[in-house]
mmCIF file of all heavy atoms in Angstrom:
data_model
loop_
_atom_site.group_PDB
_atom_site.id
_atom_site.type_symbol
_atom_site.label_atom_id
_atom_site.label_comp_id
_atom_site.label_asym_id
_atom_site.label_seq_id
_atom_site.Cartn_x
_atom_site.Cartn_y
_atom_site.Cartn_z
ATOM 1 N N THR A 9 86.480 19.837 -90.321
ATOM 2 C CA THR A 9 85.165 19.217 -90.157
ATOM 3 C C THR A 9 84.151 20.317 -89.858
ATOM 4 O O THR A 9 84.510 21.434 -89.462
ATOM 5 C CB THR A 9 85.159 18.215 -88.988
ATOM 6 O OG1 THR A 9 85.359 18.930 -87.761
ATOM 7 C CG2 THR A 9 86.235 17.156 -89.173
ATOM 8 N N ALA A 10 82.886 20.012 -90.055
ATOM 9 C CA ALA A 10 81.839 20.995 -89.813
ATOM 10 C C ALA A 10 81.900 21.514 -88.375
ATOM 11 O O ALA A 10 81.778 22.721 -88.123
ATOM 12 C CB ALA A 10 80.472 20.382 -90.108
ATOM 13 N N ARG A 11 82.091 20.613 -87.436
ATOM 14 C CA ARG A 11 82.130 21.014 -86.020
ATOM 15 C C ARG A 11 83.346 21.887 -85.727
ATOM 16 O O ARG A 11 83.258 22.884 -84.998
ATOM 17 C CB ARG A 11 82.132 19.776 -85.127
ATOM 18 C CG ARG A 11 80.802 19.041 -85.091
ATOM 19 C CD ARG A 11 80.831 17.849 -84.136
ATOM 20 N NE ARG A 11 79.520 17.228 -84.023
ATOM 21 C CZ ARG A 11 79.050 16.317 -84.870
ATOM 22 N NH1 ARG A 11 79.817 15.907 -85.897
ATOM 23 N NH2 ARG A 11 77.842 15.792 -84.698
ATOM 24 N N ASP A 12 84.498 21.522 -86.283
ATOM 25 C CA ASP A 12 85.708 22.326 -86.054
ATOM 26 C C ASP A 12 85.555 23.718 -86.659
ATOM 27 O O ASP A 12 86.004 24.715 -86.086
ATOM 28 C CB ASP A 12 86.930 21.629 -86.650
ATOM 29 C CG ASP A 12 87.381 20.434 -85.809
ATOM 30 O OD1 ASP A 12 86.913 20.316 -84.651
ATOM 31 O OD2 ASP A 12 88.184 19.624 -86.319
ATOM 32 N N PHE A 13 84.933 23.781 -87.830
ATOM 33 C CA PHE A 13 84.708 25.079 -88.483
ATOM 34 C C PHE A 13 83.846 25.968 -87.600
ATOM 35 O O PHE A 13 84.149 27.143 -87.380
ATOM 36 C CB PHE A 13 84.044 24.865 -89.843
ATOM 37 C CG PHE A 13 83.515 26.131 -90.465
ATOM 38 C CD1 PHE A 13 84.370 27.050 -91.064
ATOM 39 C CD2 PHE A 13 82.151 26.410 -90.450
ATOM 40 C CE1 PHE A 13 83.882 28.220 -91.632
ATOM 41 C CE2 PHE A 13 81.650 27.572 -91.014
ATOM 42 C CZ PHE A 13 82.524 28.481 -91.613
ATOM 43 N N LEU A 14 82.782 25.405 -87.078
ATOM 44 C CA LEU A 14 81.875 26.175 -86.239
ATOM 45 C C LEU A 14 82.576 26.646 -84.964
ATOM 46 O O LEU A 14 82.438 27.807 -84.555
ATOM 47 C CB LEU A 14 80.646 25.333 -85.891
ATOM 48 C CG LEU A 14 79.555 26.045 -85.079
ATOM 49 C CD1 LEU A 14 79.026 27.249 -85.839
ATOM 50 C CD2 LEU A 14 78.424 25.075 -84.752
ATOM 51 N N MET A 15 83.332 25.763 -84.322
ATOM 52 C CA MET A 15 84.056 26.132 -83.113
ATOM 53 C C MET A 15 85.069 27.244 -83.415
ATOM 54 O O MET A 15 85.243 28.176 -82.617
ATOM 55 C CB MET A 15 84.779 24.915 -82.530
ATOM 56 C CG MET A 15 83.855 23.865 -81.935
ATOM 57 S SD MET A 15 83.001 24.465 -80.461
ATOM 58 C CE MET A 15 84.378 24.649 -79.336
ATOM 59 N N LYS A 16 85.696 27.143 -84.559
ATOM 60 C CA LYS A 16 86.715 28.130 -84.953
ATOM 61 C C LYS A 16 86.111 29.522 -85.056
ATOM 62 O O LYS A 16 86.634 30.481 -84.479
ATOM 63 C CB LYS A 16 87.321 27.716 -86.296
ATOM 64 C CG LYS A 16 88.438 28.617 -86.792
ATOM 65 C CD LYS A 16 89.736 28.310 -86.100
ATOM 66 C CE LYS A 16 90.896 29.069 -86.703
ATOM 67 N NZ LYS A 16 92.152 28.870 -85.960
ATOM 68 N N ILE A 17 85.010 29.650 -85.790
ATOM 69 C CA ILE A 17 84.446 30.995 -85.980
ATOM 70 C C ILE A 17 83.823 31.515 -84.686
ATOM 71 O O ILE A 17 83.903 32.720 -84.404
ATOM 72 C CB ILE A 17 83.431 31.027 -87.149
ATOM 73 C CG1 ILE A 17 82.204 30.165 -86.861
ATOM 74 C CG2 ILE A 17 84.093 30.630 -88.450
ATOM 75 C CD1 ILE A 17 81.084 30.365 -87.873
ATOM 76 N N CYS A 18 83.219 30.636 -83.910
ATOM 77 C CA CYS A 18 82.586 31.082 -82.665
ATOM 78 C C CYS A 18 83.628 31.592 -81.673
ATOM 79 O O CYS A 18 83.439 32.638 -81.036
ATOM 80 C CB CYS A 18 81.768 29.959 -82.044
ATOM 81 S SG CYS A 18 80.232 29.611 -82.923
ATOM 82 N N ASN A 19 84.723 30.856 -81.539
ATOM 83 C CA ASN A 19 85.756 31.227 -80.571
ATOM 84 C C ASN A 19 86.545 32.458 -81.001
ATOM 85 O O ASN A 19 86.841 33.341 -80.194
ATOM 86 C CB ASN A 19 86.712 30.052 -80.334
ATOM 87 C CG ASN A 19 86.056 28.907 -79.591
ATOM 88 O OD1 ASN A 19 85.071 29.094 -78.878
ATOM 89 N ND2 ASN A 19 86.581 27.703 -79.762
ATOM 90 N N GLU A 20 86.901 32.528 -82.283
ATOM 91 C CA GLU A 20 87.774 33.612 -82.727
ATOM 92 C C GLU A 20 87.028 34.903 -83.027
ATOM 93 O O GLU A 20 87.614 35.992 -82.949
ATOM 94 C CB GLU A 20 88.580 33.164 -83.950
ATOM 95 C CG GLU A 20 89.572 32.058 -83.645
ATOM 96 C CD GLU A 20 90.658 31.926 -84.684
ATOM 97 O OE1 GLU A 20 90.847 32.871 -85.486
ATOM 98 O OE2 GLU A 20 91.322 30.873 -84.686
ATOM 99 N N LEU A 21 85.757 34.800 -83.383
ATOM 100 C CA LEU A 21 85.008 36.003 -83.742
ATOM 101 C C LEU A 21 84.016 36.441 -82.672
ATOM 102 O O LEU A 21 83.393 37.485 -82.799
ATOM 103 C CB LEU A 21 84.261 35.778 -85.069
ATOM 104 C CG LEU A 21 85.121 35.402 -86.286
ATOM 105 C CD1 LEU A 21 84.234 35.184 -87.509
ATOM 106 C CD2 LEU A 21 86.161 36.477 -86.554
ATOM 107 N N GLY A 22 83.863 35.649 -81.639
ATOM 108 C CA GLY A 22 82.911 36.005 -80.588
ATOM 109 C C GLY A 22 81.469 35.933 -81.083
ATOM 110 O O GLY A 22 80.646 36.808 -80.794
ATOM 111 N N VAL A 23 81.153 34.862 -81.810
ATOM 112 C CA VAL A 23 79.819 34.704 -82.404
ATOM 113 C C VAL A 23 78.792 34.351 -81.324
ATOM 114 O O VAL A 23 78.978 33.405 -80.557
ATOM 115 C CB VAL A 23 79.837 33.609 -83.493
ATOM 116 C CG1 VAL A 23 78.423 33.341 -84.007
ATOM 117 C CG2 VAL A 23 80.747 34.028 -84.644
ATOM 118 N N ARG A 24 77.713 35.111 -81.287
ATOM 119 C CA ARG A 24 76.614 34.847 -80.359
ATOM 120 C C ARG A 24 75.352 34.382 -81.092
ATOM 121 O O ARG A 24 74.445 33.815 -80.489
ATOM 122 C CB ARG A 24 76.289 36.116 -79.565
ATOM 123 C CG ARG A 24 77.449 36.645 -78.742
ATOM 124 C CD ARG A 24 77.748 35.741 -77.564
ATOM 125 N NE ARG A 24 78.879 36.241 -76.779
ATOM 126 C CZ ARG A 24 80.140 35.848 -76.951
ATOM 127 N NH1 ARG A 24 80.431 34.926 -77.865
ATOM 128 N NH2 ARG A 24 81.114 36.352 -76.220
ATOM 129 N N ALA A 25 75.324 34.629 -82.387
ATOM 130 C CA ALA A 25 74.174 34.211 -83.195
ATOM 131 C C ALA A 25 74.634 34.024 -84.637
ATOM 132 O O ALA A 25 75.627 34.629 -85.069
ATOM 133 C CB ALA A 25 73.040 35.240 -83.116
ATOM 134 N N ILE A 26 73.896 33.181 -85.375
ATOM 135 C CA ILE A 26 74.232 32.866 -86.760
ATOM 136 C C ILE A 26 72.981 32.985 -87.627
ATOM 137 O O ILE A 26 71.890 32.596 -87.219
ATOM 138 C CB ILE A 26 74.810 31.432 -86.876
ATOM 139 C CG1 ILE A 26 76.183 31.352 -86.201
ATOM 140 C CG2 ILE A 26 74.898 30.982 -88.336
ATOM 141 C CD1 ILE A 26 76.743 29.936 -86.124
ATOM 142 N N SER A 27 73.159 33.525 -88.818
ATOM 143 C CA SER A 27 72.097 33.556 -89.825
ATOM 144 C C SER A 27 72.613 32.844 -91.069
ATOM 145 O O SER A 27 73.744 33.072 -91.509
ATOM 146 C CB SER A 27 71.734 35.007 -90.167
ATOM 147 O OG SER A 27 70.769 35.056 -91.199
ATOM 148 N N CYS A 28 71.791 31.945 -91.613
ATOM 149 C CA CYS A 28 72.196 31.215 -92.821
ATOM 150 C C CYS A 28 70.961 30.867 -93.635
ATOM 151 O O CYS A 28 69.825 31.074 -93.197
ATOM 152 C CB CYS A 28 72.988 29.952 -92.472
ATOM 153 S SG CYS A 28 71.998 28.657 -91.692
ATOM 154 N N GLY A 29 71.171 30.327 -94.817
ATOM 155 C CA GLY A 29 70.065 29.926 -95.678
ATOM 156 C C GLY A 29 69.621 28.504 -95.390
ATOM 157 O O GLY A 29 70.344 27.715 -94.756
ATOM 158 N N TYR A 30 68.441 28.163 -95.896
ATOM 159 C CA TYR A 30 67.846 26.842 -95.652
ATOM 160 C C TYR A 30 68.719 25.706 -96.185
ATOM 161 O O TYR A 30 68.687 24.575 -95.682
ATOM 162 C CB TYR A 30 66.459 26.770 -96.302
ATOM 163 C CG TYR A 30 66.510 26.695 -97.816
ATOM 164 C CD1 TYR A 30 66.367 25.484 -98.478
ATOM 165 C CD2 TYR A 30 66.748 27.839 -98.575
ATOM 166 C CE1 TYR A 30 66.453 25.411 -99.861
ATOM 167 C CE2 TYR A 30 66.825 27.777 -99.951
ATOM 168 C CZ TYR A 30 66.681 26.567 -100.596
ATOM 169 O OH TYR A 30 66.771 26.500 -101.963
ATOM 170 N N ASN A 31 69.518 25.978 -97.216
ATOM 171 C CA ASN A 31 70.326 24.933 -97.852
ATOM 172 C C ASN A 31 71.820 25.117 -97.577
ATOM 173 O O ASN A 31 72.658 24.622 -98.338
ATOM 174 C CB ASN A 31 70.067 24.901 -99.354
ATOM 175 C CG ASN A 31 70.401 26.238 -100.026
ATOM 176 O OD1 ASN A 31 70.610 27.250 -99.339
ATOM 177 N ND2 ASN A 31 70.431 26.253 -101.341
ATOM 178 N N TYR A 32 72.155 25.797 -96.521
ATOM 179 C CA TYR A 32 73.557 26.067 -96.203
ATOM 180 C C TYR A 32 74.311 24.768 -95.902
ATOM 181 O O TYR A 32 73.831 23.915 -95.155
ATOM 182 C CB TYR A 32 73.651 27.006 -95.001
ATOM 183 C CG TYR A 32 75.068 27.326 -94.590
ATOM 184 C CD1 TYR A 32 75.924 28.016 -95.448
ATOM 185 C CD2 TYR A 32 75.555 26.928 -93.344
ATOM 186 C CE1 TYR A 32 77.222 28.307 -95.079
ATOM 187 C CE2 TYR A 32 76.858 27.226 -92.965
ATOM 188 C CZ TYR A 32 77.684 27.903 -93.839
ATOM 189 O OH TYR A 32 78.968 28.189 -93.473
ATOM 190 N N ARG A 33 75.478 24.626 -96.513
ATOM 191 C CA ARG A 33 76.350 23.474 -96.272
ATOM 192 C C ARG A 33 77.724 23.997 -95.868
ATOM 193 O O ARG A 33 78.177 25.037 -96.357
ATOM 194 C CB ARG A 33 76.508 22.621 -97.543
ATOM 195 C CG ARG A 33 75.216 22.221 -98.235
ATOM 196 C CD ARG A 33 74.423 21.188 -97.487
ATOM 197 N NE ARG A 33 75.151 19.941 -97.284
ATOM 198 C CZ ARG A 33 74.565 18.790 -96.942
ATOM 199 N NH1 ARG A 33 73.240 18.740 -96.751
ATOM 200 N NH2 ARG A 33 75.259 17.705 -96.765
ATOM 201 N N PHE A 34 78.408 23.259 -95.005
ATOM 202 C CA PHE A 34 79.704 23.733 -94.535
ATOM 203 C C PHE A 34 80.543 22.559 -94.063
ATOM 204 O O PHE A 34 80.050 21.438 -93.868
ATOM 205 C CB PHE A 34 79.523 24.758 -93.405
ATOM 206 C CG PHE A 34 78.908 24.203 -92.151
ATOM 207 C CD1 PHE A 34 79.674 23.995 -91.018
ATOM 208 C CD2 PHE A 34 77.545 23.890 -92.095
ATOM 209 C CE1 PHE A 34 79.108 23.488 -89.851
ATOM 210 C CE2 PHE A 34 76.968 23.390 -90.924
ATOM 211 C CZ PHE A 34 77.757 23.190 -89.802
ATOM 212 N N GLY A 35 81.831 22.834 -93.881
ATOM 213 C CA GLY A 35 82.762 21.814 -93.408
ATOM 214 C C GLY A 35 83.298 20.947 -94.538
ATOM 215 O O GLY A 35 82.854 21.022 -95.684
ATOM 216 N N LYS A 36 84.259 20.119 -94.224
ATOM 217 C CA LYS A 36 84.899 19.249 -95.205
ATOM 218 C C LYS A 36 83.869 18.389 -95.923
ATOM 219 O O LYS A 36 83.026 17.753 -95.301
ATOM 220 C CB LYS A 36 85.931 18.360 -94.514
ATOM 221 C CG LYS A 36 86.741 17.497 -95.472
ATOM 222 C CD LYS A 36 87.819 16.719 -94.742
ATOM 223 C CE LYS A 36 88.644 15.897 -95.728
ATOM 224 N NZ LYS A 36 89.719 15.135 -95.036
ATOM 225 N N GLY A 37 83.956 18.399 -97.256
ATOM 226 C CA GLY A 37 83.015 17.633 -98.059
ATOM 227 C C GLY A 37 81.599 18.162 -98.009
ATOM 228 O O GLY A 37 80.672 17.492 -98.436
ATOM 229 N N ALA A 38 81.429 19.393 -97.471
ATOM 230 C CA ALA A 38 80.091 20.003 -97.329
ATOM 231 C C ALA A 38 79.141 19.067 -96.580
ATOM 232 O O ALA A 38 77.958 18.964 -96.900
ATOM 233 C CB ALA A 38 79.524 20.368 -98.705
ATOM 234 N N LEU A 39 79.678 18.373 -95.572
ATOM 235 C CA LEU A 39 78.873 17.401 -94.826
ATOM 236 C C LEU A 39 77.981 18.066 -93.778
ATOM 237 O O LEU A 39 77.022 17.454 -93.305
ATOM 238 C CB LEU A 39 79.796 16.382 -94.153
ATOM 239 C CG LEU A 39 80.594 15.475 -95.107
ATOM 240 C CD1 LEU A 39 81.510 14.549 -94.321
ATOM 241 C CD2 LEU A 39 79.657 14.661 -96.000
ATOM 242 N N GLY A 40 78.305 19.294 -93.396
ATOM 243 C CA GLY A 40 77.482 19.994 -92.421
ATOM 244 C C GLY A 40 76.265 20.619 -93.071
ATOM 245 O O GLY A 40 76.353 21.182 -94.151
ATOM 246 N N ASN A 41 75.103 20.501 -92.429
ATOM 247 C CA ASN A 41 73.880 21.133 -92.933
ATOM 248 C C ASN A 41 73.201 21.889 -91.796
ATOM 249 O O ASN A 41 73.739 21.988 -90.691
ATOM 250 C CB ASN A 41 72.949 20.087 -93.553
ATOM 251 C CG ASN A 41 72.589 18.978 -92.565
ATOM 252 O OD1 ASN A 41 72.723 19.137 -91.351
ATOM 253 N ND2 ASN A 41 72.136 17.857 -93.083
ATOM 254 N N THR A 42 72.019 22.411 -92.048
ATOM 255 C CA THR A 42 71.360 23.220 -91.020
ATOM 256 C C THR A 42 70.943 22.382 -89.809
ATOM 257 O O THR A 42 70.871 22.909 -88.701
ATOM 258 C CB THR A 42 70.134 23.941 -91.605
ATOM 259 O OG1 THR A 42 69.276 22.988 -92.244
ATOM 260 C CG2 THR A 42 70.553 25.002 -92.613
ATOM 261 N N ASP A 43 70.667 21.101 -90.002
ATOM 262 C CA ASP A 43 70.321 20.243 -88.857
ATOM 263 C C ASP A 43 71.510 20.117 -87.907
ATOM 264 O O ASP A 43 71.367 20.252 -86.681
ATOM 265 C CB ASP A 43 69.885 18.860 -89.336
ATOM 266 C CG ASP A 43 68.535 18.880 -90.042
ATOM 267 O OD1 ASP A 43 67.737 19.795 -89.743
ATOM 268 O OD2 ASP A 43 68.290 18.001 -90.882
ATOM 269 N N LEU A 44 72.679 19.838 -88.472
ATOM 270 C CA LEU A 44 73.887 19.742 -87.654
ATOM 271 C C LEU A 44 74.212 21.100 -87.032
ATOM 272 O O LEU A 44 74.593 21.177 -85.854
ATOM 273 C CB LEU A 44 75.061 19.256 -88.505
ATOM 274 C CG LEU A 44 76.423 19.202 -87.791
ATOM 275 C CD1 LEU A 44 76.386 18.241 -86.613
ATOM 276 C CD2 LEU A 44 77.533 18.821 -88.761
ATOM 277 N N LEU A 45 74.040 22.149 -87.811
ATOM 278 C CA LEU A 45 74.326 23.492 -87.310
ATOM 279 C C LEU A 45 73.430 23.826 -86.115
ATOM 280 O O LEU A 45 73.895 24.354 -85.097
ATOM 281 C CB LEU A 45 74.117 24.513 -88.430
ATOM 282 C CG LEU A 45 74.500 25.964 -88.126
ATOM 283 C CD1 LEU A 45 75.952 26.075 -87.691
ATOM 284 C CD2 LEU A 45 74.237 26.842 -89.347
ATOM 285 N N ARG A 46 72.161 23.478 -86.209
ATOM 286 C CA ARG A 46 71.230 23.746 -85.113
ATOM 287 C C ARG A 46 71.638 22.953 -83.849
ATOM 288 O O ARG A 46 71.614 23.474 -82.727
ATOM 289 C CB ARG A 46 69.809 23.375 -85.538
ATOM 290 C CG ARG A 46 68.749 23.671 -84.481
ATOM 291 C CD ARG A 46 67.357 23.468 -85.014
ATOM 292 N NE ARG A 46 66.966 24.534 -85.949
ATOM 293 C CZ ARG A 46 66.910 24.397 -87.268
ATOM 294 N NH1 ARG A 46 67.211 23.236 -87.823
ATOM 295 N NH2 ARG A 46 66.561 25.409 -88.025
ATOM 296 N N GLU A 47 72.017 21.700 -84.059
ATOM 297 C CA GLU A 47 72.423 20.843 -82.940
ATOM 298 C C GLU A 47 73.655 21.399 -82.229
ATOM 299 O O GLU A 47 73.704 21.468 -80.994
ATOM 300 C CB GLU A 47 72.720 19.438 -83.487
ATOM 301 C CG GLU A 47 73.196 18.440 -82.467
ATOM 302 C CD GLU A 47 73.553 17.101 -83.124
ATOM 303 O OE1 GLU A 47 72.833 16.681 -84.059
ATOM 304 O OE2 GLU A 47 74.561 16.504 -82.697
#
């Protein structure tokens, strides 16, 4: 899921900040977007 993907990279890579494009999609079925990412 989009949330699990984000948690995975943040925890394993030590992510403190993210840069992406305006139309970035992520997670199963590409259901994650920049609004969800910001939240």
Side-chain angles (χ1 to χ4, degrees):
T9 66
R11 288 183 175 84
D12 285 346
F13 168 76
L14 184 60
M15 290 293 293
K16 183 79 173 175
I17 65 170
C18 287
N19 291 337
E20 294 199 16
L21 302 179
V23 174
R24 300 289 179 266
I26 292 173
S27 176
C28 69
Y30 72 100
N31 59 348
Y32 179 64
R33 309 288 300 197
F34 65 107
K36 185 176 182 179
L39 295 178
N41 57 19
T42 53
D43 290 334
L44 176 61
L45 186 57
R46 182 172 287 105
E47 178 184 321

